[in-house]
Amino acid sequence: MRLCGGRILATITPSGNTVVEAVTQALLRDRLDVLPIFSRIPVHGGSDPFPDGYDLENMLRAAEMLSHAKPDVILWNGSKGGVIGLEHDRDLCARITAATGIASTTSALALEAAMARKRVRLGLCTPYNDAYQRRLIEAFSARGWRVSAEDHLGLGDNLSYAAVPHAEIRAQAARVAPHCDVLLGWCTNYPLPVIGSTILGKPVWDATVLGVQAGLELMAI
């Protein structure tokens, strides 16, 4: 049982996501002073009605509901900002804080901070289809982030990302790891954390984990 009176990390996650909550709770299992709470926005299936931005109405509604619990931070733990541009994430965080008075961050802003601390060659592992993977790599390249190797599984349905067998994820990571400095799993509904924090001697960065770490850092934890 988590202790009352501790910090609260509030997370917004897509409705078709079955990974974020499990990974967040696993990461915080020994932190009885941090309570994770969650809210969802409609994101499911293989189509996105907001391909170039966020569904701000539902995002802000989710943030408002989370604010009722008086959290210390509101985190958007979704990877979409990597494709549509970090200006959308900064705008989202500003809107959430303006509406609730609560500090906010995102997984994509966490990746930006990680890349600012240490420029590395990324090995990009995702479950995405060809078109989305290409768009993601182009967006990374436009930011000056080098993808030296990549592997994607050709999937297009949000729920299917979480259903990839763990053995297939490990095999995918093993194909990419020899050709990069850091292995990056960039999909918060893709259970890359099952492979651990390193593979073949290479550090593993994961979108969901980066988001949780950013939330904790914002709480000065």
Side-chain angles (χ1 to χ4, degrees), residues 121 148-149 172-181 183 199-200 202:
R121 297 176 305 146
S148 59
Q172 184 187 31
R175 289 194 294 270
V176 172
H179 311 290
C180 64
D181 300 318
L183 189 77
I199 182 168
L200 299 180
K202 302 297 175 65

Side-chain angles (χ1 to χ4, degrees), residues 123-178:
L124 184 62
C125 288
T126 79
Y128 301 136
N129 60 34
D130 291 346
Y132 199 87
Q133 184 81 345
R134 182 167 55 251
R135 188 180 176 193
L136 179 59
I137 292 172
E138 289 172 354
F140 278 16
S141 178
R143 296 205 62 81
W145 299 348
R146 182 183 175 192
V147 176
S148 59
E150 68 85 22
D151 197 289
H152 58 288
L153 301 180
L155 303 177
D157 178 85
N158 186 272
L159 196 57
S160 70
Y161 303 159
V164 177
H166 293 175
E168 187 169 354
I169 295 173
R170 291 189 181 93
Q172 184 187 31
R175 289 194 294 270
V176 172

Side-chain angles (χ1 to χ4, degrees), residues 59-215:
M59 279 281 198
L60 293 175
R61 183 178 294 118
E64 180 186 8
M65 288 190 291
L66 288 168
S67 74
H68 298 167
K70 305 297 184 185
D72 297 273
V73 170
I74 296 177
L75 164 69
W76 160 235
N77 209 332
S79 56
K80 188 176 180 179
V83 165
I84 62 175
L86 299 183
E87 66 277 6
H88 291 279
D89 283 52
R90 278 186 267 274
D91 175 68
L92 173 64
C93 290
R95 288 173 183 267
I96 288 174
T97 300
T100 66
I102 298 167
S104 180
T105 190
T106 75
S107 301
L109 294 179
L111 176 60
E112 180 185 43
M115 290 298 287
R117 288 191 293 266
K118 185 178 182 181
R119 286 282 170 164
V120 294
R121 297 176 305 146
L122 296 171
L124 184 62
C125 288
T126 79
Y128 301 136
N129 60 34
D130 291 346
Y132 199 87
Q133 184 81 345
R134 182 167 55 251
R135 188 180 176 193
L136 179 59
I137 292 172
E138 289 172 354
F140 278 16
S141 178
R143 296 205 62 81
W145 299 348
R146 182 183 175 192
V147 176
S148 59
E150 68 85 22
D151 197 289
H152 58 288
L153 301 180
L155 303 177
D157 178 85
N158 186 272
L159 196 57
S160 70
Y161 303 159
V164 177
H166 293 175
E168 187 169 354
I169 295 173
R170 291 189 181 93
Q172 184 187 31
R175 289 194 294 270
V176 172
H179 311 290
C180 64
D181 300 318
V182 169
L183 189 77
L184 174 65
W186 195 248
C187 173
T188 62
N189 205 23
Y190 191 51
L192 189 76
V194 299
I195 71 172
S197 60
T198 62
I199 182 168
L200 299 180
K202 302 297 175 65
V204 175
W205 292 357
D206 172 75
T208 304
V209 175
L210 285 170
V212 174
Q213 290 172 338

